[in-house]
Amino acid sequence: EKPRHKLSLRFTFSSEVTVKNVQLAMENKDARVWFNGQEIELNTIGWYVDCAIECYMLGDIRQGENELIVQYPFGEKTNVEAMYILGDFGVRVFGSDAMIVSPVDTLSFGDWTRQGLPFYGGNVTYHIPIEVASSGELQVEISKFRNPLLKVSLDDKEKQVIAYSPY
């Protein structure tokens, strides 16, 4: 059965900074999208996390207020799926409000959601310079590790996958 209705979702958000070349990731291929008053042509440029979640170029987040409108056919068998704005930026959360901020360039080990990435669900690569003698053994302990998987590389060569206790 063809959907007989249209669902329009309107999102507004604020940004302290201009963010170039952001993408919208979503599953609904039949959508129409407007970003800051401009209708966006939905040409797939890749996918995010799952090949069903396609990415589309939105343009730039502007400093100040921004508006995203997504409209698509809606019927009894339509699922309202999650959507994601992807780009090089951080987010500061205060209560139920959030603000786009400058990108996070340094992360400590631990909870990324408290370090400017409250909604991030992807991978993170830590670059940690280590100087050692020209010979000998190097042992790495990751005692506070609480993620599903960690890969250790040395001089661009994968050395160890860490996934099970005692880490």
Side-chain angles (χ1 to χ4, degrees):
E1 167 182 330
K2 252 185 129 172
R4 297 184 331 196
H5 306 282
K6 289 184 181 175
L7 175 66
S8 292
L9 302 169
R10 180 176 174 262
F11 306 94
T12 59
F13 60 94
S14 298
S15 181
E16 287 184 352
V17 294
T18 298
V19 183
K20 300 283 187 189
N21 302 317
V22 297
Q23 300 173 22
L24 175 65
M26 65 179 184
E27 290 191 45
N28 198 314
K29 296 175 178 67
D30 298 325
R32 290 181 70 191
V33 174
W34 293 265
F35 186 56
N36 290 331
Q38 299 278 81
E39 186 164 8
I40 303 300
E41 194 170 328
L42 296 182
N43 297 317
T44 303
I45 58 172
W47 55 273
Y48 176 66
V49 182
D50 175 333
C51 61
I53 304 173
E54 295 183 340
C55 294
Y56 309 99
M57 187 57 67
L58 272 184
D60 299 345
I61 292 174
R62 62 186 176 207
Q63 185 177 13
E65 294 299 310
N66 292 267
E67 178 184 64
L68 174 67
I69 298 172
V70 179
Q71 180 185 82
Y72 54 88
F74 187 80
E76 286 185 30
K77 296 183 179 182
T78 305
N79 291 323
V80 178
E81 302 284 353
M83 291 177 256
Y84 309 90
I85 294 178
L86 309 175
D88 190 15
F89 57 86
V91 178
R92 185 175 61 240
V93 176
F94 36 95
S96 62
D97 292 325
M99 173 78 69
I100 303 290
V101 296
S102 295
V104 175
D105 60 4
T106 302
L107 288 172
S108 300
F109 289 109
D111 186 351
W112 306 325
T113 66
R114 297 173 190 257
Q115 299 180 58
L117 300 174
F119 308 111
Y120 186 71
N123 295 327
V124 168
T125 301
Y126 289 98
H127 298 273
I128 303 167
I130 298 173
E131 291 186 33
V132 296
S134 60
S135 63
E137 189 174 295
L138 175 65
Q139 184 174 353
V140 177
E141 179 182 331
I142 323 274
S143 56
K144 303 242 183 231
F145 170 72
R146 296 293 177 263
N147 294 328
L149 177 69
L150 184 72
K151 291 182 182 177
V152 177
S153 299
L154 182 64
D155 297 330
D156 295 323
K157 295 180 187 134
E158 189 174 303
K159 295 294 184 181
Q160 184 71 43
V161 173
I162 302 172
Y164 306 106
S165 182
Y167 309 121

